[in-house]
Amino acid sequence: MTEVRNSNTARISPTRLRLLMAALLAVSFLGALDHTIVSTSLATVAGELGALQHMSWVVVGYTLASTVLLPVLGGLGDRVGPRRVFLIALIGFVAASFVCGLAHDMTQLVVARVFQGMSAAGLQLMSQTIVAEVATPRQRPQYLSLIGAAFPVAILIGPLLGGLITDHWGWPWVFWINVPVGLAALLLAVIAVPHIEPAGSKKRFDGVGALLLTAVLVAVVLAVAWFSSANSSAWIAVGAGAAALVGLIAVERGQRNPIIPVRLFRNRTFSAGVGLSAVMGAGLISATAYLPTYFQMAYGVSATVSGLVPIATVLGMLVGNLVTGWAASRTGRYRVFPLVGTIMGALGLGAMSLLPAGVPLWFPASIMAFVGLGTGAFMSLAIAIVQSAAPRSELGTATAAAGLSGQIGSTIGSAVVGGVVGFGVASLLPAGLDSHTLTPALVHAAGPSVQAEIASIYHDVFSPVFLSLAGVYILGFIAALLLPDGRLSDEPAPAGEPDDLDDSANLDDPADLALEAKD
């Protein structure tokens, strides 16, 4: 491993770099795992705390906080330095995890989960920002792919681990397990994370814009969640979000240092990278969320067997992510991977929409593994692309924009898919069956004719859904076409200021710092 020079020209020894990557990988895994490990313990938690009707808020509170705080934390990282935000977020995550396990009622648990989600956002975002600070554009894909591997691994082992811990130790340990691992990661981080002088420290933080943007994002996430559950409060969220958006536009107009610099989106490299992040969230995550339901109903398999298809998808994503990160850093080439990856995703989901009923389960599992492999090809690379198109003074903000687009894409995509499936199934069910009480166990206990009819309904409803998601990947392919050709640079990005950016895309612009030369 070679010596790495960060943007301040400070040298980082190979040993310290290994410690740094171990710390970043550990905390990224903690943040990702806490999003999945809780799922299998929810019923136990809600039962013991006596609040089954509020169970969903344990997940919604965490997701909401980890989504809406990204732009704020990105701006703070640019102004006070990513190391400080990272360490504070890690301490907050450990403390919130401990408090979660001590909760005596659902209100206490949800509040603690909100703080845990806020801290998790800081961990993930600052891990990626620190990589951008200590590595050259060419080195970033490999390091970011290692951090990005935490997400698919957490999806694979989180539910199983959560179930084992809940059954043998009790649900509080689902949260307390974070404490010793988090403290060990904190010790590593204090030693390994270098002090990085922030390039944007002289810029005033846009507090009013941050509050208004947070209000808009909260309203969007709540509206999507409530619409998907047919909650009439969704319209209140829509109205509040629209009012906050109007206020945000009014305040940000003419603002020299806005919370999200719109001028960055004038650069096609930046916009394409943000678009690719949204494709991953809206295209794959929303599809994976409903795959078990589809296979339980359309194929008549058990819940355990239905989980094999998402596992195959995630394994493909993991392999694609690691291989692409290594290849992009080794060759310096990056444009080919999102081009090929989005086409793979579109072809795979298009094939899913055309599958005849009754094919062996291994066949759709192989197709979804193919989709996951294609998505992994640009999953972490999209972050590196966005970072390469921003000046150093706005690395945190740029990274946050990519993360936010993925989160919003996943939230909206999952809600839309869930709404379409729910409405479609309800409209096609025969008389005597209620979509609100229809469960896989009920279907599996019914006669062969009913099972065949339900399988046909789910197949007919999901086919256009898969085809629509294939269209999302086609949009990602168009975004990838906008990326300039060339090689990732071995030189660190200069500090730069936002005003240096313009609409052009040439190698003399800070907007194309990723490139050495066009071939």
Side-chain angles (χ1 to χ4, degrees):
M1 187 176 293
T2 59
E3 192 174 64
V4 175
R5 183 190 299 267
N6 73 10
S7 302
N8 289 320
T9 69
R11 295 182 181 277
I12 300 177
S13 68
T15 300
R16 189 174 185 183
L17 180 60
R18 292 189 185 96
L19 290 175
L20 173 61
M21 291 307 301
L24 297 183
L25 183 57
V27 298
S28 296
F29 180 67
L30 274 182
L33 183 65
D34 216 71
H35 194 64
T36 60
I37 195 174
V38 176
S39 60
T40 45
S41 65
L42 274 181
T44 302
V45 173
E48 292 191 14
L49 296 181
L52 187 64
Q53 70 275 20
H54 301 305
M55 180 175 65
S56 63
W57 282 101
V58 176
V59 175
V60 173
Y62 184 93
T63 304
L64 185 64
S66 62
T67 299
V68 302
L69 212 64
L70 283 172
V72 177
L73 293 173
L76 285 175
D78 289 333
R79 287 158 179 79
V80 305
R83 184 181 193 272
R84 184 179 301 178
V85 177
F86 178 79
L87 294 178
I88 292 174
L90 183 50
I91 293 171
F93 184 83
V94 172
S97 298
F98 183 71
V99 174
C100 281
L102 296 175
H104 296 295
D105 57 51
M106 190 60 79
T107 301
Q108 293 178 8
L109 179 58
V110 170
V111 171
R113 283 285 285 175
V114 167
F115 281 101
Q116 199 181 31
M118 294 165 61
S119 302
L123 295 181
Q124 183 66 28
L125 177 59
M126 289 302 109
S127 294
Q128 295 168 339
T129 306
I130 288 169
V131 167
E133 290 280 9
V134 304
T136 66
R138 183 158 177 169
Q139 295 166 328
R140 289 173 192 167
Q142 184 172 1
Y143 297 146
L144 288 172
S145 69
L146 292 174
I147 295 175
F151 175 65
V153 171
I155 293 177
L156 288 174
I157 72 171
L160 175 62
L161 187 60
L164 290 173
I165 292 174
T166 301
D167 290 341
H168 293 89
W169 295 351
W171 70 262
W173 281 99
V174 169
F175 303 104
W176 286 343
I177 196 70
N178 294 330
V179 176
V181 180
L183 290 176
L186 178 62
L187 178 62
L188 268 180
V190 169
I191 297 171
V193 179
H195 173 74
I196 302 167
E197 191 66 32
S201 58
K202 296 181 180 179
K203 297 191 296 184
R204 187 175 68 86
F205 184 71
D206 182 16
V208 176
L211 288 174
L212 288 171
L213 178 61
T214 300
V216 171
L217 294 175
V218 168
V220 168
V221 175
L222 289 179
V224 168
W226 286 337
F227 268 125
S228 63
S229 59
N231 190 325
S232 59
S233 299
W235 291 108
I236 299 176
V238 170
L245 180 60
V246 171
L248 179 65
I249 294 173
V251 169
E252 297 298 276
R253 184 175 296 174
Q255 173 69 257
R256 180 169 178 79
N257 300 307
I259 188 67
I260 293 185
V262 179
R263 58 184 169 273
L264 287 177
F265 286 91
R266 294 202 300 263
N267 175 256
R268 68 181 190 184
T269 304
F270 181 87
S271 297
V274 170
L276 287 169
S277 291
V279 166
M280 188 204 73
L284 184 69
I285 306 305
S286 57
T288 307
Y290 295 95
L291 284 177
T293 299
Y294 171 65
F295 286 104
Q296 287 176 56
M297 294 299 204
Y299 285 71
V301 299
S302 66
T304 302
V305 174
S306 71
L308 294 177
V309 180
I311 288 175
T313 309
V314 172
L315 283 174
M317 186 194 306
L318 178 62
V319 172
N321 174 59
L322 292 174
V323 171
T324 300
W326 174 83
S329 289
R330 183 175 179 84
T331 65
R333 296 288 185 184
Y334 67 99
R335 187 172 182 259
V336 62
F337 300 111
L339 286 172
V340 173
T342 49
I343 287 296
M344 290 174 64
L347 290 175
L349 288 168
M352 287 292 293
S353 72
L354 299 174
L355 278 183
V359 298
L361 191 63
W362 65 265
F363 197 72
S366 301
I367 293 175
M368 289 307 300
F370 182 76
V371 174
L373 189 66
T375 306
F378 61 88
M379 183 179 79
S380 296
L381 191 57
I383 303 294
I385 290 170
V386 167
Q387 290 175 341
S388 72
R392 185 179 158 246
S393 59
E394 292 178 319
L395 275 176
T397 299
T399 307
L404 183 62
S405 69
Q407 292 271 39
I408 295 296
S410 172
T411 301
I412 295 177
S414 297
V416 170
V417 170
V420 169
V421 170
F423 178 80
V425 170
S427 64
L428 295 175
L429 278 179
L433 291 177
D434 184 359
S435 62
H436 295 95
T437 59
L438 189 67
T439 64
L442 183 65
V443 174
H444 298 168
S449 61
V450 174
Q451 291 185 30
E453 187 171 7
I454 296 298
S456 176
I457 288 172
Y458 269 83
H459 179 271
D460 292 344
V461 168
F462 268 88
S463 287
V465 169
F466 288 132
L467 190 60
S468 298
L469 294 176
V472 172
Y473 276 86
I474 293 297
L475 294 177
F477 177 76
I478 295 172
L481 285 175
L482 297 176
L483 293 172
D485 198 8
R487 295 180 186 272
L488 294 165
S489 173
D490 281 319
E491 294 299 321
E497 286 301 322
D499 293 340
D500 294 336
L501 293 175
D502 61 30
D503 292 328
S504 62
N506 56 67
L507 296 180
D508 297 325
D509 257 352
D512 287 302
L513 292 171
L515 304 181
E516 281 184 342
K518 290 183 179 179
D519 297 334

